Every structure is written in C-alpha cells, then in structure tokens.
Amino acid sequence: MDRQISGGAEGFGSDPDPVAGAEAGGWVSEPAIRAIAELLGMPFIRVLEVATFYTMFQLEPVGRTALIQVCGTTPCMLRGANELMATCREKIGPKDHLSADGRFTWQEVECLGACANAPMAQINDYYFEDLTPEILAQIIDDFAAGKSPKAGSYVGRTSSEPEGGATTLTDPKLYDGSAARPIKKLPNSEPAKETA
Ligand code: FES
C-alpha cells in the first residue's frame, strides 16, 4: 500500500480523507471501507467481511478512555464472564453503546486466546486476566480517574503458569546447557532405501 492511511480523531464519518485506520478515533466507517476496497482493488464485500468479522475493527465510535472487550466464550463463561459483563452493564451501560459521557464502551467478544487465565477482558491494547467483578470494577474506576491500571494476571501468575508458579520444566539444567549432549546421528538422516 503506497498511500498513508490516516484520519482525524473524530473518525471517518466526518474526515475529509475517506481512507483511515482504526487509530482515527478507533473506528472505521462504511465510506472508508469502500475507499479501502477501491485502494486495494478488492471487492467491497471482502473488505467489509474482514471489518465485521474481527473484533479489533469498530464500525462506530467507541469510548475514548476505554474499549472493554469481555471474552464470553466457554472457559471464560464458566469462570465468571457473565458476572464481569454484569459489572460492565452496571458501571458503563448497555453493551455495544457509548457510555453517557462518551468515555467507555464495552462489548462481548469471542475467545481472545487467554483461556488459561479466564475470565479475562481486553481493554484497549492490553489483556486483563484472572478477573473478578470487584477487580474489574476497580479497573474501570481507575481508567475513569485517568490512571493506567496494570495489565496481565490479577492472581499474580507469570504468563499462563499455574497459580503458585511453574510445576513442570523447572530443572535449571534444561536452560543452562549442562544437560546438552552431542547428537551422534540425526534421526531420519539416512538416504531412503530403494524398494524393488
Ligand atoms: S475462552 Fe476466554 S480467552 Fe479463550
């Protein structure tokens, strides 16, 4: 693509340049999708399919302080996603709508690939994991107060390790090279035998 994709903070709906990215106010309008299709030489419907399928694309303005995407797929649902969504509803308002002050939007999305740390939500560009309704309420309050709440696990685990720390692959020899041995013969390194 040889053309800079840009736009104003108000989004495409009123931007004189009809081609813009999600950074332009966090959403992309239907005229922008048409312009992108034209720019890429693709059918409009194919660009529209991408924009409507992936939840990182927004088709209308979203909260300028925080876009909260709560995972509602089975592992998160079994671990309390419905309660997280109730917290969002209570503090922000209805799903998929801007809050009254225009600062927050919340959505339910499909699996975000952090199931081991369920329940979780993506807020703006970061994952917030191992959440409870109380913790999520505090995170929303912190965003509202202009703070930057910490991302990651809220039970203190590193990445997706079990709570309390790793239980496998804990031998330091695995990482310091002392367990390494020369490989005498690579598996499957012989030429294939000819069959009659
Ligand atoms: S089910 Fe929620 S991150 Fe996968």
Side-chain angles (χ1 to χ4, degrees):
M1 193 184 300
D2 59 1
R3 185 173 170 193
Q4 179 67 36
I5 292 181
S6 62
E10 67 278 36
F12 281 121
S14 55
D15 197 289
D17 183 344
V19 181
E23 288 78 14
W27 67 287
V28 59
S29 71
E30 191 258 352
I33 294 171
R34 287 190 183 281
I36 290 165
E38 195 181 316
L39 180 71
L40 298 176
M42 295 170 70
F44 164 67
I45 188 65
R46 291 199 49 209
V47 182
L48 183 66
E49 282 168 355
V50 171
T52 53
F53 181 82
Y54 292 102
T55 51
M56 72 274 281
F57 295 110
Q58 303 299 320
L59 304 181
E60 57 186 81
V62 292
R64 61 181 185 277
T65 298
L67 169 62
I68 301 172
Q69 295 181 305
V70 181
C71 171
T73 303
T74 312
C76 282
M77 187 263 287
L78 291 173
R79 299 262 297 168
N82 287 341
E83 288 73 24
L84 298 185
M85 289 188 253
T87 299
C88 289
R89 203 171 290 114
E90 190 182 302
K91 295 192 77 71
I92 297 172
K95 178 163 77 172
D96 300 322
H97 286 84
L98 267 175
S99 59
D101 60 7
R103 296 183 66 197
F104 291 89
T105 300
W106 77 274
Q107 303 171 333
E108 177 180 353
V109 298
E110 298 300 328
C111 177
L112 289 170
C115 328
N117 295 13
M120 59 80 64
Q122 178 172 347
I123 305 181
N124 299 332
D125 293 331
Y126 294 96
Y127 279 12
F128 293 73
E129 303 160 343
D130 298 313
L131 297 175
T132 64
E134 295 73 27
I135 290 169
L136 181 58
Q138 185 62 55
I139 289 170
I140 294 171
D141 287 346
D142 285 351
F143 272 110
K147 298 180 190 163
S148 301
K150 81 167 183 78
S153 169
Y154 272 76
V155 294
R157 55 174 137 179
T158 304
S159 303
S160 302
E161 282 179 353
E163 288 186 46
T167 57
T168 59
L169 302 174
T170 54
D171 186 344
K173 282 194 251 168
L174 291 168
Y175 309 103
D176 64 12
S178 59
R181 298 282 177 275
I183 299 173
K184 293 194 181 110
K185 189 171 144 199
L186 289 172
N188 301 316
S189 57
E190 298 289 326
K193 289 202 176 87
E194 288 196 16
T195 50

